[in-house]
Amino acid sequence: MIEQFTEALEALGGHVHRGRDALERLRGPGVAVTPCLALIAETGTAVVSARLSGGRRNGLVDPVHVIEAREDQLVPDLAAALAAIGPELAAASAVTLVTGPSRTADIEQTLIRGVHGPGEVHVVF
């Protein structure tokens, strides 16, 4: 499933890394690091919780969003992710599904990244 997740995320402009060293290289100003609840292999989506991330802002405002994940958090599809995170849905003020970097084509149908959220998304296993 990790290959499917990686292909889906990279097709959307996201990046997958492995190891604590990768996480440390990505840290810095303008970088939000959040823990992961689940990873959806089918779509390359990471599920994060405002409660576990220190609030709703983390991962939504900074130009770079880094998501810490484990391979055992991989599930095949949205239904499996919702089943896995059920208790957190009741406890958190917000649960966000992150599917690649922010992008919009509102103006003249020109694709722009990072206007309404992070321009870069990295998942580190």
Side-chain angles (χ1 to χ4, degrees), residues 33-37 47-60 65 85 88-89 91-98:
V33 179
T34 63
C36 178
L37 288 174
V47 184
V48 297
S49 163
R51 185 180 71 82
L52 300 176
S53 299
R56 294 180 184 199
R57 179 190 185 282
N58 287 339
L60 296 176
H65 185 185
I85 66 166
E88 188 62 24
L89 287 172
S93 64
V95 171
T96 305
L97 281 67
V98 179

Side-chain angles (χ1 to χ4, degrees), residues 13-63:
H15 307 280
V16 173
H17 309 271
R18 288 187 173 276
R20 192 74 38 205
D21 291 343
L23 182 62
E24 293 310 315
R25 281 193 307 274
L26 290 165
R27 287 187 191 275
V31 177
V33 179
T34 63
C36 178
L37 288 174
L39 299 167
I40 304 171
E42 182 178 63
T43 59
T45 300
V47 184
V48 297
S49 163
R51 185 180 71 82
L52 300 176
S53 299
R56 294 180 184 199
R57 179 190 185 282
N58 287 339
L60 296 176
V61 177
D62 292 303

Side-chain angles (χ1 to χ4, degrees), residues 7-8 15 19 22 37 40 50 52 60-61 71 80 85 92 96 103-104 108 112 116 122-123:
E7 287 176 18
H15 307 280
L37 288 174
I40 304 171
L52 300 176
L60 296 176
V61 177
E71 286 189 39
I85 66 166
T96 305
R103 60 184 158 239
T104 185
E108 296 182 14
I112 301 171
H116 303 295
H122 302 266
V123 173

Side-chain angles (χ1 to χ4, degrees), residues 1-3 5 38-41 70-76 125:
M1 262 193 302
I2 195 166
E3 294 83 12
F5 174 82
L39 299 167
I40 304 171
R70 299 182 320 270
E71 286 189 39
D72 66 352
Q73 293 173 311
L74 278 162
V75 295
F125 287 97

